[in-house]
Amino acid sequence: MKAILLPALLLILASCGNTKTSNTSQPSADPEAIATSTLATDSTTWVDSLTMGNSKANVKLSVVYPVSGNPGLVDSVSSWIRGLLPNPASNKDAATTTPTPTSKPIDPQTIAQAGKSFLEIARTDFAGFDTLSMEYPIRYEWIYDIRPIYLTDSIITYNSMRYVYLAGAHGSTLADTQTFRIADGLPLTAANLFKPDSIPALTNLIRRYLYTQYFLPQLSDCLLYTSPSPRD
C-alpha cells in the first residue's frame, strides 16, 4: 500500500499547485509534449525472441528517454531509468528488483543490451530444460514500458510498468513512479517534501480516502455491515 501512496499524493499536490499559479502550463500525458526547452526525449522499442526446442522467450522493452535539456534533469531521469534495467544476469526475476540509480546516459544501445541479457537468461535455462528432456512447452516473457505520464512547467512524472513471466502459474507485474523537479532534476520523495513527524498522519489520511473511494463501495455490495474507516 505504501508504494502507491506517495506517487498518488505527488500527483494530487501537483494538481493543487496548478490551480494556484496562473502561468503554469496545462499538464500533459503525451510523451511528444515532453520535448520542451528543459527536456527533449526520444523513444525506442526493442523486440526479440528466442526459441529452443519446446521453449520460447519473448522480450519487448519500450522506453521514452531524455536526450538533451537541463543537465540535472537529464541525469536524474537517465539514472532512474537505468536503475530499472539492472543487469538481469544477477537476478532473473528482474521485475521485483529494487531500482539502483547509476549516472550514465540512456540510449537505444542500453535498452538493446538489457533485452539481450534477458534472452541470455532464457538461453541458459532452456539448455538446462533440454538436458532434463522436458517435453511440455516452456514460455518466458519480459515486457517493459517506461515513459513520462505527467508534465507541468515545474515537475515531470515518469512511470514504469514491468511484467515478467517465467513459466510459473502467473507472471509478476511491478509499477514504479517517480516525480522530478524540472528546475534541477531533484527526485521528489517523502523525505524532501514533508516533515518526518508528519508522514504517519499523512499516510493514514491517504489510506483512509483510498479505502473510502475505492474499497468501501465494493464491500458495501457484499456485506451487511461495513466499517466507515479502514482498520489500522
Side-chain angles (χ1 to χ4, degrees), residues 44 60 73 81 85 132 159 179 204 216 228:
T44 185
K60 181 178 181 180
L73 181 60
I81 294 175
L85 298 167
L132 296 174
N159 182 71
T179 297
N204 287 333
L216 185 58

Side-chain angles (χ1 to χ4, degrees), residues 194-215:
F194 308 105
K195 295 180 179 179
D197 58 358
S198 70
I199 292 178
L202 184 62
T203 300
N204 287 333
L205 179 64
I206 298 173
R207 181 185 294 115
R208 178 182 298 274
Y209 277 96
L210 286 175
Y211 169 83
T212 302
Q213 182 171 351
Y214 295 105
F215 297 99

Side-chain angles (χ1 to χ4, degrees), residues 177-231:
T177 303
Q178 178 62 59
T179 297
F180 303 88
R181 189 166 63 187
I182 286 179
D184 55 7
L186 177 70
L188 300 183
T189 67
N192 56 33
L193 281 175
F194 308 105
K195 295 180 179 179
D197 58 358
S198 70
I199 292 178
L202 184 62
T203 300
N204 287 333
L205 179 64
I206 298 173
R207 181 185 294 115
R208 178 182 298 274
Y209 277 96
L210 286 175
Y211 169 83
T212 302
Q213 182 171 351
Y214 295 105
F215 297 99
L216 185 58
Q218 301 296 328
L219 290 175
S220 63
D221 293 336
C222 304
L223 303 178
L224 296 177
Y225 171 78
T226 56
S227 171
S229 63
R231 295 180 179 179

